[in-house]
Amino acid sequence: MRKLKRVLSCMVCSAMVAGMLGGCGGGQSTVKETTAGTAAADTTEAEPQTQAPEAAASNFQSEMDWERIGWQEDPEDLEWKEDTSPIELGYYANFSWFSLDWNDATAERVTAKTGVDLNFMKPVVDDGQKLNMMIAGNQLPDILTLDKNDAALKKMAEAGMLWSLDELIDQYAPKMREILPKEILSNYQMADGKTYQFTTWIQGEAWQKAAREYDQIVGTNQPIITVRKDYYDEIGRPEIRNMTEFIAAVKQMKENHPDKIGFYPADGSMSADEFGKSAKLSHYGIQMGLSTDFSEKDGGIQWVVRDDKFKEPMKYLNEMYLEGILTKDPFIDTKDVGKAKIEQGDVISYCWTISDGEKVPGDNPDTTYEILPPFETYGQIRTGAGWLATVIPKTCKDPERAIRFLEYLASVEGHSDVSWGIEGDTYQDAVAGAQWHMIDGKPVLLEEYVKDKNADWGGVASRNGLGEYWIACNELLWNLPWWNDQDERMNKFNEQFGKYVEFRPELDIQDPSPESEEGIIRQKAFSLLQQYSVKMIFTEDFESVYQEFIQKIDELGMNKVEAYWTEEYKNKTK
């Protein structure tokens, strides 16, 4: 029997994936820090608490409505099937919060099918030091996953420490090209024209087409503005199509309820911490078409603070302050305090997401907050460029098995094993399944499983492992069983907001290295934004403060950073 590695840690949820990750896992031993892809965990010979059932042989792929889904059935002769002999590969996830360690029902099922057993490793803290040490000592694991924007990725590739996917696929898994989203091997090439990273969570053309088909472009995390329905009714429900009409309506409601806060950005977008990271004003900015730090001008890129897309939302915040609608509360409140103010009914309107947009105010249980339709200026740019990158270092003991393991994980079959679970109509429990069945040519999760999963997300994840090992995730296939196009409420929101969502992968622009001249200038410029954002909002003379800020970043040399961004942008638009 293979050795089973156990870990005791806590899983943290990710917002990029809207609740698809998270929870707590338990076990008897702990994963040790390592510097190479070698055995690195205290292990015990033990039977799992619940024996994982094998996935029943099924021809489910032939039953799927591929035309509507916009994908295709796996080729029969994928190369991973040629060798399923036992092998252990060292795997490093560069996230201290990742709690699973290949000791669950999903891991057992995958190992039984492919022969691949993963020896999981991770850092103790997320400061990048562990990975930097591994790079410096050229002691990398067989497979490694990190944030696709991590500077270490470019460092390893340029140092010749990584296999190119193109080379490994052509040599060992040519059929793999047929099952990958086209963006993986075209949108992430380095200067030498080769692709070194398997990027996951891509919302590319196939995902976009399917998401619009199943009304999934807009999820419960879509930014919105909401108002108290009882107060809105009191003023006769005037039409609100833009920020000017919104301010007028809120001003009227506040005159009726002077003890209330007029507008409250509940998403934290008004905090100094957020301004120090980005100029896009989070959920509030999207109401006026601001959702990226980059502005296109004359074939290049400038910082969006120079654009009216930033200036106008800031002027409206200043106007709301001058009208007594916006207070300093959101700048100083903790998240818990802000949430309490909304739940108590202390605010007239707030900016957040669909999932939090229809709360019942504590001072009037007979009403709710009401989500407003999108403004005429509403606009959200998404890059759809993914989240994580999986790479195969040159230190990998068996690059042939490694790339073929990624081929398996990237396939429809791999997704059904790793993300969907056991097919069937009878639910026993979260481990034994079944977790999904086929309805109208699409996998659909069983209601009983969804209920158990939502009741104890982390606990279920630690036992069955489903939806957690996103090493080679294709987001279209990964979340397909969760998609429900029969949800009339979300269908309505998709109809209202979906047309304002635009995908621009070329705006997935890397920032300069923090140690470079441009990187240092960028950090200083964002520190200035952190200082001047408050001044711009809480001033009697917005224009003079804004122009002073622009002058400061010009003196700093922000044009050098913009030149760097422009070069990155042009490389993506060749």
Side-chain angles (χ1 to χ4, degrees), residues 164-213:
S164 75
L165 291 185
D166 322 71
E167 181 178 352
L168 292 182
I169 289 173
D170 288 344
Q171 186 170 356
Y172 300 120
K175 288 287 183 180
M176 188 175 180
R177 289 185 179 273
E178 300 178 26
I179 66 171
L180 296 180
K182 70 174 188 178
E183 293 82 4
I184 286 182
L185 295 177
S186 63
N187 289 12
Y188 304 90
Q189 295 175 348
M190 298 288 287
D192 61 4
K194 297 179 180 180
T195 299
Y196 294 90
Q197 65 194 71
F198 188 114
T199 306
T200 64
W201 300 104
I202 294 174
Q203 294 181 346
E205 288 185 12
W207 182 91
Q208 293 167 37
K209 179 179 181 296
R212 293 193 186 279
E213 173 67 25

Side-chain angles (χ1 to χ4, degrees), residues 544-555:
S544 64
V545 177
Y546 173 76
Q547 291 301 333
E548 181 180 327
F549 167 66
I550 296 298
Q551 181 181 345
K552 290 283 187 181
I553 64 172
D554 284 340
E555 292 172 353

Side-chain angles (χ1 to χ4, degrees), residues 10-11 13 19 21-26 100 427 430-431 448-466 468 482:
C10 185
M11 189 73 167
C13 293
L21 304 172
C24 294
L100 276 66
Y427 181 69
V431 175
E448 301 95 326
Y449 174 62
V450 172
K451 181 179 179 181
D452 283 354
K453 180 78 170 175
N454 287 333
D456 182 16
W457 195 283
V460 168
S462 69
R463 295 194 302 276
N464 71 14
L466 289 172
E468 304 295 329
W482 289 89

Side-chain angles (χ1 to χ4, degrees), residues 58-132:
S58 168
N59 62 346
F60 73 87
Q61 293 192 47
S62 65
E63 301 170 9
M64 294 181 70
D65 187 350
W66 293 116
E67 182 176 357
R68 187 181 182 201
I69 294 169
W71 200 247
Q72 66 279 330
E73 190 171 351
D74 288 338
E76 292 185 2
D77 52 350
L78 289 175
E79 289 83 6
W80 71 265
K81 300 177 183 179
E82 295 177 9
D83 183 359
T84 59
S85 61
I87 185 174
E88 181 178 87
L89 296 177
Y91 175 76
Y92 186 85
N94 194 37
F95 309 101
S96 65
W97 46 261
F98 192 86
S99 65
L100 276 66
D101 68 341
W102 209 247
N103 178 27
D104 49 60
T106 294
E108 292 174 33
R109 190 161 51 244
V110 171
T111 297
K113 179 177 288 188
T114 66
V116 177
D117 187 13
L118 294 182
N119 173 29
F120 256 74
M121 297 163 279
K122 65 175 184 175
V124 175
V125 293
D126 291 316
D127 60 3
Q129 293 304 308
K130 186 62 187 175
L131 180 55
N132 287 335

Side-chain angles (χ1 to χ4, degrees), residues 297-312:
K297 183 179 180 180
D298 300 329
I301 293 293
Q302 65 176 7
W303 196 13
V304 76
V305 298
R306 302 184 189 277
D307 197 296
D308 282 346
K309 281 195 173 181
F310 171 81
K311 187 177 180 181
E312 289 302 310

Side-chain angles (χ1 to χ4, degrees), residues 249-289:
V250 173
K251 184 179 178 182
Q252 192 176 352
M253 287 184 268
K254 184 165 174 59
E255 289 172 353
N256 294 340
H257 303 275
D259 59 322
K260 301 295 184 181
I261 299 171
F263 175 65
Y264 193 95
D267 61 352
S269 58
M270 298 297 104
S271 69
D273 182 59
E274 283 299 313
F275 276 114
K277 297 176 182 176
S278 174
K280 59 188 178 184
L281 303 181
S282 194
H283 298 65
Y284 166 74
I286 288 173
Q287 314 305 316
M288 283 155 284

